[in-house]
Amino acid sequence: MATRVIPSRILRKIRYNRATTTTATATKPLAATPVFEGTEHKPPSSAASAATIAAPSSVDTDYIPRRTLDLEDTEKLFSSVSTWRLLRSSAVLHATAVGPMVDVGMRVMRSRFVEREGLVKDAVMGAVRETFFEHFCAGEDAAEAGRKIRSLNEAGLRGMLVYGVEDAHDNHGCNRNLNGFLHTVDVSRSLPMSSVSFVIVKITAICPMSLLERISDLLRWQQKDPSFNLPWKRDSLPIFAESSPLYHTQKKPEPLTLEEERGLELATQRLVELCQKCVQANIPLLVDAEHTTVQPAIDYFTYSSAIVHNKDDNPIVFGTIQTYLKDSKERLLLALKAADKMGVPMGFKLVRGAYMSMESKIAESFGFKSPIHDTIEDTHKCFNDCSSFLLEKVADGPGSLVLATHNVESGKLAAAKAHELGMGKVHHKLEFAQLCGMSESLSFGLSNAGFQVSKYLPFGPVDKVMPYLLRRAEENRGLLAASGFDRQLMRKEIGRRLKAAVF
């Protein structure tokens, strides 16, 4: 799994395991569907606007009574967390909040000493294993991941299992990674029912990166020139909007070679095999998002698979929308409009995004503005608007939603909206999610308030997961530095336990 770099050419449910099901409904008036306002780009076209769904007239009421999202009662928040784990988590989060310490750690983990077998590598790997790996990952193998899932389940949380690999560069690596993802499904099936909410797949791990770049180029050019024929293209949903950036593809790309077409066929077969296994296991498959260099190809794989496998209001394939991109709202509306017309129930995970620096550098290299919102406030607004819109859409209609956020305010807004719509813990159409080892107070608070909450759990050998840890350190530097809220609550609870002599 390689650390992400800007390509050189650029720089120049529902099929869920369910413990309960809803049985009763009642009618009550709901707020109107939110309108997307105040964005930098022009509003969606009239066709896209037609995708706005009317508020449902009936909602589930057979759910646990509304409970407040309480993030202040630390005794209740961390009731399932041992004092030792609190101490270790507080120490790790404090370390990752110190910029120079993160820089030193990253340099050490990337140094040539770690690449060579010997005492130095063993010492570094041992230190990483007992600190960052233990905190941010589920374990080195399936057995450890299973224990982590069971522990979370006992605490009222669920798990999203992901085989901890990243980019593949040839078919041999893709096949090896596919076996890892298939094994993850087997692991999930062996665990307690409904303890695993999703299996995660990274398309960049089962299709060579160079091929994803080529496919993205061809899709972008077809967006520029609709007469441009792509004979290999399958039925899909809209991938681009009028506001989508197309600057990555400056000139008409050559058609795929016979070898590339064969590679595309192999990648498609890998995804089909994984989807079929998830259908058999009754566990949804969530496709992670990447940077815009390859995201068009990833959306193509996701949507073409969803059309085949998402049936009868049961999304088995979920896509990811990165709301820090200026075109994310418009693309979401267009995809949903097309899916509704085709009768395909869609599942989406909303995230803010993690490639800010990279996206800005790519755009600048072509002389364009960054595709990311100009301010963090705009990104927050986009996430919250999309969240509110999707909550209303899926509350009493087709599809499902995963709100992956570490932002407390977004969590509070979404929780209030979901309660208004009658979407509680037994309402399987909504899942909140946070990364393993991050925003623990928000995770436990949302769970205590009656929602399904999952933690994103990568697993695999330390040396294989090392690139993931490095990427998380780079992508989430600001988020980790801003983890003061969590650390403050942890310190408060540690102090309470010390005073009460509770260990």
Side-chain angles (χ1 to χ4, degrees):
M1 176 152 95
T3 303
R4 312 271 169 164
V5 295
I6 303 173
S8 56
R9 69 185 187 86
I10 292 291
L11 289 180
R12 288 171 309 235
K13 161 186 165 210
I14 301 302
R15 281 194 171 105
Y16 282 93
N17 294 323
R18 302 174 190 167
T20 55
T21 56
T22 56
T23 58
T25 60
T27 301
K28 67 178 181 178
L30 297 177
T33 303
V35 178
F36 297 145
E37 298 177 344
T39 55
E40 304 86 326
H41 58 269
K42 61 183 178 180
S45 63
S46 57
S49 298
T52 303
I53 308 299
S57 60
S58 63
V59 296
D60 286 314
T61 56
D62 182 24
Y63 66 98
I64 57 178
R66 174 171 180 172
R67 287 175 280 180
T68 305
L69 178 54
D70 183 2
L71 300 180
E72 299 298 329
D73 186 347
T74 60
E75 182 177 5
K76 184 177 180 181
L77 281 176
F78 300 113
S79 61
S80 62
V81 184
S82 69
T83 301
W84 163 244
R85 183 180 154 196
L86 272 178
L87 288 167
R88 187 190 64 196
S89 297
S90 180
V92 171
L93 288 176
H94 181 76
T96 55
V98 180
M101 186 174 294
V102 174
D103 292 335
V104 171
M106 290 170 61
R107 282 198 294 270
V108 170
M109 288 190 286
R110 286 193 174 121
S111 69
R112 57 187 177 85
F113 298 107
V114 177
E115 298 175 0
R116 301 176 181 176
E117 297 296 331
L119 293 177
V120 174
K121 179 178 180 178
D122 291 343
V124 171
M125 289 298 177
V128 171
R129 180 183 293 107
E130 297 302 320
T131 53
F132 302 106
F133 181 87
E134 178 70 21
H135 184 77
F136 293 110
C137 300
E140 293 197 69
D141 54 31
E144 289 186 13
R147 287 193 291 272
K148 182 78 169 182
I149 289 284
R150 288 185 173 89
S151 175
L152 283 173
N153 203 222
E154 290 172 0
L157 305 179
R158 310 209 294 173
M160 295 176 166
L161 271 183
V162 54
Y163 179 55
V165 294
E166 297 227 340
D167 305 347
H169 299 282
D170 54 42
N171 285 317
H172 175 72
C174 290
N175 290 333
R176 182 183 63 246
N177 292 340
L178 173 64
N179 290 332
F181 289 122
L182 294 172
H183 179 56
T184 302
V185 180
D186 289 331
V187 172
S188 301
R189 295 182 70 174
S190 70
L191 294 169
M193 181 174 290
S194 81
S195 63
V196 177
S197 56
F198 292 87
V199 166
I200 309 293
V201 65
K202 300 181 75 65
I203 301 298
T204 56
I206 60 173
C207 181
M209 284 292 291
S210 59
L211 182 56
L212 289 173
E213 291 173 9
R214 287 276 286 129
I215 295 170
S216 295
D217 274 338
L218 289 163
L219 291 169
R220 274 188 291 262
W221 196 263
Q222 187 182 61
Q223 179 69 12
K224 292 181 178 182
D225 178 10
S227 67
F228 187 56
N229 183 38
L230 300 178
W232 44 265
K233 188 177 179 182
R234 306 187 179 200
D235 288 342
S236 182
L237 303 178
I239 295 170
F240 302 100
E242 292 183 10
S243 59
S244 296
L246 303 174
Y247 48 72
H248 305 74
T249 308
Q250 296 286 299
K251 62 180 181 179
K252 182 178 180 179
E254 294 295 324
L256 294 180
T257 64
L258 291 178
E259 182 180 358
E260 288 173 329
E261 286 193 8
R262 176 57 180 162
L264 174 57
E265 182 181 347
L266 290 172
T268 300
Q269 291 174 357
R270 293 184 193 104
L271 185 55
V272 167
E273 183 177 357
L274 184 55
C275 288
Q276 290 175 342
K277 194 172 185 72
C278 284
V279 170
Q280 295 166 2
N282 207 30
I283 299 173
L285 180 69
L286 200 160
V287 181
D288 264 349
E290 306 293 337
H291 45 84
T292 56
T293 307
V294 294
Q295 188 59 41
I298 292 169
D299 285 340
Y300 166 72
F301 274 106
T302 303
Y303 294 154
S304 60
S305 298
I307 289 172
V308 174
H309 298 285
N310 292 5
K311 306 291 184 181
D312 304 323
D313 197 23
N314 290 326
I316 197 70
V317 179
F318 280 61
T320 299
I321 297 291
Q322 301 183 99
T323 59
Y324 73 167
L325 294 172
K326 295 176 181 177
D327 70 336
S328 56
K329 296 175 185 176
E330 192 177 355
R331 285 190 294 109
L332 176 63
L333 285 174
L334 289 170
L336 285 171
K337 177 177 181 286
D340 286 343
K341 186 175 181 180
M342 299 173 69
V344 177
M346 287 302 297
F348 282 106
K349 178 180 75 168
L350 286 186
V351 300
R352 278 171 170 76
Y355 297 93
M356 182 175 295
S357 176
M358 180 176 185
E359 296 292 4
S360 297
K361 289 178 181 178
I362 293 174
E364 184 180 357
S365 72
F366 285 114
F368 285 83
K369 289 186 61 177
S370 172
I372 293 172
H373 288 298
D374 296 332
T375 67
I376 187 62
E377 289 76 20
D378 289 338
T379 296
H380 291 332
K381 184 180 187 310
C382 183
F383 182 95
N384 294 334
D385 284 352
C386 290
S387 170
S388 181
F389 170 74
L390 285 173
L391 281 168
E392 291 206 6
K393 186 181 190 308
V394 306
D396 195 41
S400 296
L401 172 62
V402 179
L403 294 177
T405 181
H406 300 92
N407 183 277
V408 172
E409 185 60 29
S410 290
K412 289 180 177 179
L413 288 172
K417 184 70 173 182
H419 274 310
E420 173 192 334
L421 295 169
M423 301 175 71
K425 193 164 189 175
V426 300
H427 200 302
H428 51 260
K429 292 195 168 193
L430 170 64
E431 189 93 17
F432 286 92
Q434 289 82 39
L435 293 172
C436 177
M438 296 178 64
S439 298
E440 303 287 73
S441 58
L442 181 58
S443 298
F444 287 123
L446 287 166
S447 179
N448 292 340
F451 297 103
Q452 291 186 148
V453 182
S454 286
K455 303 297 282 189
Y456 185 100
L457 302 172
F459 75 95
V462 177
D463 58 336
K464 298 296 184 183
V465 183
M466 185 78 81
Y468 167 84
L469 291 173
L470 287 168
R471 186 164 66 90
R472 284 303 181 200
E474 289 178 325
E475 292 172 359
N476 296 309
R477 182 185 296 270
L479 180 59
L480 288 166
S483 64
F485 181 72
D486 242 27
R487 287 180 280 131
Q488 179 183 2
L489 292 179
M490 288 181 180
R491 288 196 298 268
K492 179 180 176 181
E493 175 58 12
I494 291 170
R496 187 198 68 79
R497 294 184 185 186
L498 289 173
K499 289 180 181 179
V502 177
F503 296 96

